[in-house]
Amino acid sequence: LYTALKEANGNEFNPETCQLLMGLFDVNEDGHIDTVEFGELVKYLRGWKGTFWNFSNSSKAVGINASQLYTTLKRCGCGLNEQLCKIMVSNFDSHHTGSL
């Protein structure tokens, strides 16, 4: 999964994120995701990518900053506060750009 996501996106994926996604989409809990489960995973990721893209301030934006993340999650019904979004961006911004 890690390799497939990296090749599709060109960016590094956190191995723990891959494990989490495997757990979420391994419906039959056999430790693997089959083509149907993988298809559902891809739809899920595309959906979230589309959601964040829609809330980005610019069509040229490469990522989403803490303020945009807060606004996006708030509109999606998540009750995270802005400070937590800043912490999340700080912790997961592997390229140190101020965005995810």
Side-chain angles (χ1 to χ4, degrees), residues 21 37 71 90:
L21 290 170
E37 294 165 335
T71 301
S90 176

Side-chain angles (χ1 to χ4, degrees), residues 2-35:
Y2 175 81
T3 302
L5 292 173
K6 182 179 178 186
E7 288 177 6
N9 189 5
N11 294 322
E12 295 285 326
F13 261 75
N14 185 312
E16 288 84 14
T17 302
C18 292
Q19 286 296 105
L20 175 67
L21 290 170
M22 288 285 295
L24 289 172
F25 289 91
D26 180 14
V27 177
N28 58 3
E29 299 179 353
D30 66 354
H32 300 87
I33 55 173
D34 61 26
T35 55

Side-chain angles (χ1 to χ4, degrees), residues 25 33-46:
F25 289 91
I33 55 173
D34 61 26
T35 55
V36 173
E37 294 165 335
F38 186 74
E40 292 300 315
L41 168 62
V42 170
K43 281 196 293 188
Y44 174 81
L45 292 175
R46 284 184 179 153

